[in-house]
Amino acid sequence: MFKKAILLATLTVLPAALFGQTAIDRPVAIVKLTQMDVISEKKLAYNVSLYEQQTGRELTKEEKEQVLETLINQMLVFQAAKRDNVTVSDEQILRVGMSQLMQQIGRQITETQYKQIIQDQTGMEYDVYKEEIRKQLILEKYVTEKKRDFIMRTSTPTNEEVQTFFDQNEEQFINPEMVKISHIFFATKGLNPAQKEEKKNLAEQILQKLNSGSATFAQMVRENSEDKNSVVRDGDLGSYLDKSEQNIAVFGRSFITDIFNMQVNSEIKLLESTQGFHIVKVTQHLKKTFLELDDPVNPVQTQTVREYIRNYLGMQKQQQAFQLAAKDVVQELAEEAEIQRFPDNIE
């Protein structure tokens, strides 16, 4: 199991000074393709310690030798990329990093926020972190450029593979029961009891106008709602709500329960959530649905289940193809290079 993990880590750039010695100590390997790079005993020991932290145990000598091979492979590809002028700009590094982080945290962030998060999470200054990411992206770019045709050819799922995946996971492709609401919102977070009561009184007055027919819902949204994002849609929240724990955490269980018990388009209620008061009407109520291959993944997307599966399998196959391509590249470079290993210096 460990051997497989090490082999697949051929091009993983660890957060350490992987390309150059920081102290004079015994070499465990010397790599020369376009220049001489030395992997020192201390450098290997540092990287071994990272793997030991991940596995929760000490590595055997054989496993330490596998870590050494990973470092040798990285050096070979990095030297070749430098020789062939494969570069990555600061803008590319920033764009890739911010995109990955925003996917992880599920929200938009500014460049300043991104750099602060990186510093908080890694303990590195952004400029130091940036150079580590540059190395990783250069290595990935070099392999991709050298083996692009192979990667593209072997990473496209067939129709049969898509159908098989769907058949084996059919029960997972479900749209849960969902509702869509429009609301007039009055925020109460941070308010004292008197201020909160004032907001409630205002909401009750507006609800009376709506029930008497003296004002329209859209009019009251534009004049009173504090949810500025939905004002332009006449109060439409924009997304569907289901009974997930995530929505319960945002709005509170009673609010979610209440909106699922409302009649579609025929009643308007004043409800309280953890965010504030809402004058709510339910505009759609969708029952739980088992999806077919050509159904949309959810009501607000055009992507079908078939397209979703194809993209998912494509990413998996692309990762596998990249690993095979990386091994081929390393093997080709190793035949050109001079590599000396000193196994007696591995403790």
Side-chain angles (χ1 to χ4, degrees), residues 4 33 36 60 97 128 157 162 165 210 241 260 278 290 293 319 330 332 337-338:
K4 181 179 179 183
L33 180 68
M36 183 178 292
T60 65
V128 176
V162 172
F165 184 89
L210 294 173
L241 295 177
F260 274 89
H278 310 249
F290 289 87
L293 264 174
Q319 291 173 352
V330 166
E332 292 165 6
E338 297 176 20

Side-chain angles (χ1 to χ4, degrees), residues 11 139-144 150-151 154 317-327:
L11 293 177
L139 294 173
E140 293 175 355
K141 185 177 180 181
Y142 180 83
V143 172
T144 301
F150 169 78
I151 293 172
T154 57
K317 290 169 72 71
Q318 190 172 35
Q319 291 173 352
Q320 295 166 358
F322 180 86
Q323 291 295 335
L324 293 173
K327 292 176 184 178

Side-chain angles (χ1 to χ4, degrees), residues 237-252:
L237 199 62
S239 58
Y240 287 81
L241 295 177
D242 58 26
K243 299 177 182 178
S244 67
E245 290 301 320
Q246 180 180 356
N247 284 330
I248 290 171
V250 172
F251 294 101

Side-chain angles (χ1 to χ4, degrees), residues 22 24 114 141 172 189 269 304:
T22 57
I24 299 174
Y114 167 69
K141 185 177 180 181
Q172 296 184 25
K189 276 196 169 182
K269 285 187 175 181
T304 64

Side-chain angles (χ1 to χ4, degrees), residues 92-226:
Q92 288 174 304
I93 296 169
L94 181 64
R95 185 169 65 248
V96 169
M98 288 186 65
S99 175
Q100 290 178 345
L101 184 57
M102 286 189 289
Q103 286 180 5
Q104 291 175 14
I105 64 178
R107 61 181 175 87
Q108 297 288 317
I109 55 174
T110 66
E111 179 179 336
T112 301
Q113 289 172 327
Y114 167 69
K115 292 179 177 179
Q116 186 60 53
I117 291 171
I118 291 301
Q119 185 172 336
D120 293 343
Q121 291 185 349
T122 67
M124 296 183 188
E125 293 294 333
Y126 176 72
D127 286 344
V128 176
Y129 176 82
K130 177 180 69 178
E131 293 311 309
E132 295 300 327
I133 299 302
R134 188 191 307 279
K135 292 171 185 175
Q136 181 175 340
L137 293 180
I138 286 174
L139 294 173
E140 293 175 355
K141 185 177 180 181
Y142 180 83
V143 172
T144 301
E145 289 184 356
K146 291 296 180 183
K147 300 290 181 178
R148 185 179 302 277
D149 290 344
F150 169 78
I151 293 172
M152 294 299 295
R153 185 172 64 251
T154 57
S155 63
T156 303
T158 65
N159 291 333
E160 291 76 15
E161 288 172 328
V162 172
Q163 183 68 56
T164 298
F165 184 89
F166 177 75
D167 292 341
Q168 293 175 345
N169 299 275
E170 190 173 5
E171 70 283 356
Q172 296 184 25
F173 292 99
I174 301 172
N175 271 340
E177 183 182 9
M178 295 181 286
V179 295
K180 196 170 190 182
I181 68 171
S182 293
H183 70 161
I184 306 169
F185 178 61
F186 308 87
T188 60
K189 276 196 169 182
L191 300 185
N192 61 42
Q195 293 170 323
K196 186 175 178 180
E197 188 64 26
E198 186 178 342
K199 287 284 184 80
K200 183 179 181 181
N201 291 337
L202 174 59
E204 288 174 339
Q205 292 171 19
I206 293 170
L207 181 62
Q208 289 177 2
K209 290 182 180 180
L210 294 173
N211 288 332
S212 68
S214 61
T216 66
F217 195 91
Q219 177 187 352
M220 292 295 95
V221 168
R222 291 191 294 270
E223 292 179 4
N224 298 281
S225 183
E226 296 176 21

Side-chain angles (χ1 to χ4, degrees), residues 59-114:
L59 302 191
T60 65
K61 184 171 182 180
E62 180 184 359
E63 291 168 342
K64 292 177 182 179
E65 290 172 350
Q66 293 172 16
V67 175
L68 175 60
E69 291 306 309
T70 298
L71 296 178
I72 291 172
N73 293 342
Q74 292 171 348
M75 284 187 173
L76 283 172
V77 179
F78 195 71
Q79 287 187 25
K82 186 176 181 180
R83 175 194 64 192
D84 296 347
N85 296 315
V86 176
T87 61
V88 177
S89 68
D90 288 355
E91 182 182 352
Q92 288 174 304
I93 296 169
L94 181 64
R95 185 169 65 248
V96 169
M98 288 186 65
S99 175
Q100 290 178 345
L101 184 57
M102 286 189 289
Q103 286 180 5
Q104 291 175 14
I105 64 178
R107 61 181 175 87
Q108 297 288 317
I109 55 174
T110 66
E111 179 179 336
T112 301
Q113 289 172 327
Y114 167 69

